[in-house]
Amino acid sequence: MQNSDDKPGVPLRSATSNEEAQGAIDALLHEERVFRPLPETLSRANISPHQLAEAREQADRDSLAYWEEAAEELEWFAKWDSVLDDSNAPFYRWFPGAQCNIVHNALDRHIETANKNKLALIWEGEPGDSRTFTYYELYRHVNKFANALRSLGISRGDRVIVYMPPLPETIIAMLAVAKIGAAHSLVFAGFSAKALRDRINDSQAKCVITADGFYRNGRVVHLKSTVDEALAGVCETCAESMVVVHRANVETDMQEGRDYWYEDLVRQARPYAETEVMDASDPLFLLHTSGATGKPKGIVHGHGGYMVGVHRTFSWVFDIKPTDLFWCTADPGWITGHSYGVYGPLLNGATTVLYEGHPLYPQADRVWSTVERYGVTILYTVPTLIRMLMRFGDEYPRMRDLSTLRLLGSVGEPINPEAWVWFHKVIGKGDCPLLDTWWQTETGMFMISPLPVSLLKPGSVTKPLPGVEVDVYDENGHPVPPGKGGLLVVTKPWPSMMIDVYNDPERYKETYWSKFPGVYLAGDVARKDEDGYIWIQGRADDVLVIAGHRIGTAELESALASHKAVAEAAVIGIPDAIKGEVAKAFVLLNQDWEPSHQLTKELKEHIRRELGPVAVVKTIAYPDSLPKTRSGKIVRRILKAQELGQDVGDTSTLEH
Ligand code: 6R9
């Protein structure tokens, strides 16, 4: 691997230093393709372009009235005194005085309607086994497990860790914990004992729910033993009990008085459990974000506002019909799995699909065969998987019947236009709108996203949803003109906003609300085009400064990925004596391509042609893989630390 940091030490320039205080992000990419909604899409959409425009207008006039109407679609034990209490901003409280429980709306109320016998969940294990649950069946399981948890002494206000692979019991556990008024905190089953221990300690969880093991990529992964290791060093009052689900039939040591088999507890449990009456802002869950640096933050969401935001955005963006079969490929341990794998579908009485294993197991058509087998109508996934599947060519999807698909969705990272167009054309046959949804663990719900009737531009997340107000600011808090990039901010509170950082309100204020008073700082850089469309350019921490030009990573990476040899690329800035910083690219090649000097030269020229002379890529490396989080995001800080010979920091949340 060639290195470019052999120049005399030029200090790394921070993208937020005063020197760059005036700087906006340079926009380099000129993507001009547009996709208009087809007549069939327009005629069958729940929300027409006219209704969307009206909703926007209404929300612009009075966003609280807009969200109040959305809240009326759900059931409450007691109504709110007002829609929003902003007297202690930035600790906004939505629907103060209201009482509710998200589980009442996601499950209990469906038992009284025609949804009772409808499928709530289709689960498929990696080896090919599958289980289905009607709303009534899911309701029974949740009731019993809620009672089981109560019998272990768990009650309102407690925290429970769910360290599980994607199993039906993962969803049952989330709902049972919420039903009894405790808060769930999911931890990806791939995280290490240390990462798990940190999260148990940070949340002071009373109980851990786990499985004996699970199937991943053809292997059995032991899980319970990792929990044992984690528990060896937790705080004294933490994790008094552990519940273990039988999944993989592996040897499991059970500690008398602490560990319980899920099946034993449920067998003895009574069939009905009261749903706890919660205040709208009582915690529903904690979810730790990995965070670029420092210790993970426990993001807290509440029952009421979260439920309103997720219910409305799921139903509008995915245009939900009674016959839909919705598949979110995200693990429940990621916010995407929470909001749109579990709560969004269930709040809307939809059928959701959950898959346990690796998306390429036993071969690269697993996603397509799953769509075919169940007749999935809406497929919501991540750019990294789309790019990975694209690498295998069109053969696999062509062999499968994908005609049931009517909508596609993307989340988690900027989707490069080439991957967008492939997904739209080869998987969606050109007639499935592709909904690129921008949001965060902290926002809880979609913030910027098209609806199926929107005009689409590949690579743009389009416009904020009704009731959401965003802008792009320069360092001084002034909106930047169209075409320029800057810091993405949210300028009005929204119902499913995070409630707090667990046990650290100072960090909540400092991280999100201190740069611009009264305005939420998302931590992303973005630009708006002439039509008001938003293009996400990457994380603000990853911005490059080349010869005084500030450049987001997404455009350089998209330009690289538009070359036929490139499957995926990550770009970082490294110090350079003359230009301050230059780009180094890490490139994964498509099948049938080999690294060569010739190819490196060609890629550098390709970038220059696509983006202009500012976009200097000095070196290109061809690693076998890129460091990614469990949710599929490239972790550029690790590439950078390795490049500069620095400590790579916390890697406990990486995909292995
Ligand atoms: C839902 C989720 C949040 C960060 C966010 C941004 C990136 C998410 C995106 C996107 C471009 C999209 N991100 N969606 N970037 N286009 N459609 O991913 O939550 O794990 O908290 O990450 O992900 O950088 O700030 P989370």
Side-chain angles (χ1 to χ4, degrees), residues 365-586:
D365 73 342
R366 184 63 183 256
V367 172
W368 317 129
S369 72
T370 306
V371 169
E372 178 181 72
R373 204 162 36 256
Y374 299 111
V376 170
T377 61
I378 306 172
L379 176 63
Y380 186 41
T381 190
V382 290
T384 181
L385 182 59
I386 298 168
R387 289 191 288 259
M388 196 178 355
L389 292 167
M390 202 174 148
R391 258 178 122 174
F392 290 93
D394 300 357
E395 211 37 38
Y396 284 116
R398 290 251 150 86
M399 278 168 4
R400 296 293 176 175
D401 174 13
L402 305 180
S403 61
T404 52
L405 285 174
R406 67 179 194 89
L407 294 173
L408 303 173
S410 176
V411 59
E413 278 198 305
I415 177 165
N416 52 301
E418 295 319 304
W420 194 104
V421 170
W422 181 83
F423 198 33
H424 184 258
K425 199 169 110 193
V426 177
I427 307 308
K429 309 291 186 295
D431 58 19
C432 301
L434 200 173
L435 309 157
D436 184 0
T437 58
W438 180 89
W439 60 294
Q440 306 176 299
T441 307
E442 294 87 339
T443 70
M445 67 176 205
F446 300 150
M447 301 294 277
I448 313 176
S449 169
L451 261 48
V453 297
S454 305
L455 183 147
L456 304 173
K457 304 184 187 186
S460 167
V461 291
T462 75
K463 294 186 176 187
L465 290 169
V468 175
E469 224 170 66
V470 304
D471 210 334
V472 181
Y473 281 3
D474 67 16
E475 286 284 335
N476 297 325
H478 302 304
V480 298
K484 277 281 180 201
L487 300 166
L488 184 65
V489 295
V490 186
T491 52
K492 246 188 203 170
W494 63 100
S496 64
M497 64 201 303
M498 67 190 287
I499 297 228
D500 208 343
V501 172
Y502 189 68
N503 266 344
D504 203 348
E506 274 312 308
R507 196 161 174 204
Y508 168 72
K509 276 204 280 198
E510 172 61 31
T511 311
Y512 305 104
W513 301 94
S514 64
K515 191 167 178 81
F516 309 119
V519 167
Y520 172 85
L521 181 72
D524 282 5
V525 291
R527 80 182 147 88
K528 246 189 211 175
D529 68 16
E530 299 287 343
D531 302 322
Y533 273 48
I534 308 270
W535 300 72
I536 306 292
Q537 292 171 295
R539 294 291 297 169
D541 297 333
D542 294 332
V543 164
L544 279 70
V545 189
I546 305 178
H549 295 275
R550 292 159 50 84
I551 301 170
T553 48
E555 296 182 326
L556 290 163
E557 291 164 2
S558 289
L560 274 162
S562 69
H563 189 282
K564 58 185 180 304
V566 178
E568 184 150 39
V571 171
I572 58 166
I574 47 177
D576 178 89
I578 297 160
K579 294 185 182 296
E581 227 175 13
V582 286
K584 171 157 183 170
F586 297 81

Side-chain angles (χ1 to χ4, degrees), residues 291-348:
T293 49
K295 103 176 189 319
K297 298 186 278 281
I299 306 296
V300 186
H301 280 284
H303 277 257
Y306 176 79
M307 150 177 109
V308 171
V310 169
H311 174 255
R312 164 56 59 96
T313 51
F314 181 82
S315 105
W316 280 41
V317 169
F318 290 126
D319 184 48
I320 291 302
K321 321 277 189 204
T323 51
D324 270 322
L325 202 66
F326 177 83
W327 184 19
C328 166
T329 65
D331 190 294
W334 180 25
I335 188 64
T336 304
H338 282 55
S339 297
Y340 299 107
V342 177
Y343 287 116
L346 298 182
L347 286 168
N348 282 279

Side-chain angles (χ1 to χ4, degrees), residues 143-406:
N143 272 276
K144 286 189 147 221
F145 192 46
N147 280 332
L149 288 171
R150 281 187 173 137
S151 74
L152 293 177
I154 318 285
S155 60
R156 186 192 183 100
D158 289 336
R159 271 91 38 222
V160 176
I161 293 273
V162 181
Y163 182 59
M164 293 268 272
L167 296 178
E169 287 78 8
T170 313
I171 296 181
I172 293 167
M174 291 166 77
L175 297 169
V177 169
K179 187 178 173 83
I180 64 171
H184 54 73
S185 176
L186 272 83
V187 178
F188 274 115
F191 283 3
S192 64
K194 179 182 179 310
L196 175 61
R197 183 185 307 133
D198 289 349
R199 285 158 179 73
I200 295 171
N201 282 335
D202 188 56
S203 59
Q204 292 156 310
K206 228 174 169 176
C207 171
V208 179
I209 304 170
T210 191
D212 56 350
F214 62 102
Y215 297 91
R216 180 86 185 173
N217 222 358
R219 288 192 306 270
V220 172
V221 181
H222 289 238
L223 202 57
K224 158 69 161 83
S225 49
T226 312
V227 186
D228 289 336
E229 196 186 329
L231 293 199
V234 291
C235 70
E236 233 167 76
T237 50
C238 292
E240 291 164 353
S241 58
M242 186 189 332
V243 181
V244 188
V245 175
H246 266 295
R247 165 58 184 148
N249 280 325
V250 294
E251 266 296 311
T252 306
D253 289 333
M254 299 293 276
Q255 187 178 312
E256 182 79 40
R258 185 195 71 180
D259 304 346
Y260 302 87
W261 287 108
Y262 172 92
E263 293 76 8
D264 293 344
L265 289 176
V266 163
R267 201 175 309 115
Q268 294 158 13
R270 284 176 296 107
Y272 293 103
E274 279 291 307
T275 298
E276 198 75 24
V277 175
M278 307 301 286
D279 289 344
S281 290
D282 278 341
L284 165 64
F285 66 84
L286 268 64
L287 193 56
H288 285 84
T289 56
S290 42
T293 49
K295 103 176 189 319
K297 298 186 278 281
I299 306 296
V300 186
H301 280 284
H303 277 257
Y306 176 79
M307 150 177 109
V308 171
V310 169
H311 174 255
R312 164 56 59 96
T313 51
F314 181 82
S315 105
W316 280 41
V317 169
F318 290 126
D319 184 48
I320 291 302
K321 321 277 189 204
T323 51
D324 270 322
L325 202 66
F326 177 83
W327 184 19
C328 166
T329 65
D331 190 294
W334 180 25
I335 188 64
T336 304
H338 282 55
S339 297
Y340 299 107
V342 177
Y343 287 116
L346 298 182
L347 286 168
N348 282 279
T351 308
T352 189
V353 176
L354 181 67
Y355 168 60
E356 174 187 38
H358 194 282
L360 302 184
Y361 183 85
Q363 57 174 21
D365 73 342
R366 184 63 183 256
V367 172
W368 317 129
S369 72
T370 306
V371 169
E372 178 181 72
R373 204 162 36 256
Y374 299 111
V376 170
T377 61
I378 306 172
L379 176 63
Y380 186 41
T381 190
V382 290
T384 181
L385 182 59
I386 298 168
R387 289 191 288 259
M388 196 178 355
L389 292 167
M390 202 174 148
R391 258 178 122 174
F392 290 93
D394 300 357
E395 211 37 38
Y396 284 116
R398 290 251 150 86
M399 278 168 4
R400 296 293 176 175
D401 174 13
L402 305 180
S403 61
T404 52
L405 285 174
R406 67 179 194 89

